[in-house]
Amino acid sequence: MILSLFGYLGLKISKTRTHIKPNDFDLFYTSVSTSTVSSMTAVEMEVFSNSQLILMTFLMFVGGEVFTSLLELIFARFSNNNNYNNSSTSMKNSLPIKVVNDQIELGLVSIPNHHSSQDHKQVNDVNGINNNNNNVPSGTTIVSYNNNKDMLLRSNSLKYLSHVVLGYFLLLQFVGTFLVSMYMSFIPSAKQVLREKGIKTLTFSLFTIVSTFASCGYVPTNENMIVFKKNSGLLLIILPYILLGNTLYAPCLRFVIWVLEKITKREEFSYLLKNSKEIGFGHLLPPLHSWLLVATVLGFNIIQFVIFCSMEWGTQIMDGLNPYQKFVASLFQITNARHSGESVFDLSTISSAILVLFVVMMYLPPYTTFLPIMDHETENDAKKDKRRLVECLVLSQLSYLVIFIILICITENKSLREDPLNFNVLNITIEVISAYGNVGFSMGYSCGRQLKANGSCKDLWVGFSGKWSNKGKFILILVMFFGRLKKFNMKGGKAWDLS
């Protein structure tokens, strides 16, 4: 919310590119949509000046999942270092070390010298006492708390992991920005689009890559990527970033750590690979889970691609494209359904069956797999009882979305009756699910679909929600926040049995 307020103030005090000055609520709406990486559009993108686009780039940069996961690691390192320091201090202030023949006692812990080799831990120094000390009898083994060694290894591993995530985050976006800049500079058709719209090449490249990697879906052009649907090379450059910053972030992160472990042989990388659950980082998944996640993502994409091509290959939306361009554009469109939201086709012209499929894809969380993840951690009965009580009180994600859709249908009731071709339940559902999934897909609004022609109506490149009342937009703001924080309520609704 602080980030959204900062973005709103920045957009308000800076000048727009055109004479059009969006109202305050639409600016706040845009800021929330940017910081939650939802890309719901209430203002035409070409209205924003270069400085405003740079501000929006910053909001997407820090609002994306990879950056927030980096912050999570920084906090985890800080907490772990505090625990390590407290543990070391408590050992130094513990009971004096008592050395007796064939054993050593540290406080109340004693370890015999004749224990098994598996449990044998020999250390040269314990709290300042070493094997060179004349007061230590020969044949005595000096042992230390092994927890400190484990905590130090964990602390170093978290440090290395944070460095890997930071490198992954910055390097990918630098490479992507460079590649898009080169493409826009050397391909005449793409270069001409930016020249006509007055958009700087570097701003477009950085904005688009950051937006795609953060799974936002904003593009500096009014038409989103529709204007570039014939530029297959550009689509292929951007396409991997849809996956690398979202659904395949966890498997790619594990792969990078595996490569670094093979190259450097560092113990920290090996520890990360073998102790992903103990690390407690939600994006570092076990190997089986990672493989099944990759298979699930590819499976969903194949299903979408086959259905999309079978129904849309020869339709009007493909006019002017050769088979190769159709293939790339179709692949780009279906991949964006989870969860970036960039479009090369007008969604309002796509068949309803495809739209329903997109709704399902938008609803699914990024790490949806066919693997049931079981929680094997033990808890006492009191904690279990409290958790069961909370789960009984908390509704499921789908229940909340149904409530939001009903509320928006109430606020937009007048438009639903007077303008049914634009305002209908399916269009509202797509808009709500898109905001919840932080995708940005929208059916848009067309004056030509009005049953009663309105002379003052003007077709604009804004999302469908841009035509809603402020009450409806406010509800969608809540949906965007709810969707961005969905991982904190994924276990809700367990008490409901629909069978």
Side-chain angles (χ1 to χ4, degrees), residues 48-90:
F48 296 113
S49 63
N50 189 70
S51 61
Q52 289 175 319
L53 290 177
I54 292 175
L55 173 61
M56 294 174 68
T57 302
F58 171 76
L59 295 179
M60 293 184 293
F61 187 85
V62 300
E65 187 64 28
V66 178
F67 184 85
T68 53
S69 71
L70 180 60
L71 293 181
E72 180 184 348
L73 278 175
I74 294 174
F75 294 143
R77 284 181 57 193
F78 178 77
S79 176
N80 191 79
N81 288 340
N82 281 344
N83 292 336
Y84 174 72
N85 293 333
N86 291 337
S87 176
S88 300
T89 303
S90 64

Side-chain angles (χ1 to χ4, degrees), residues 228-253:
F228 297 111
K229 66 181 179 181
K230 292 184 178 181
N231 297 105
S232 300
L234 178 62
L235 300 183
L236 289 176
I237 293 174
I238 298 174
L239 184 61
Y241 286 83
I242 304 171
L243 303 172
L244 294 174
N246 192 271
T247 51
L248 293 185
Y249 169 41
C252 290
L253 179 61

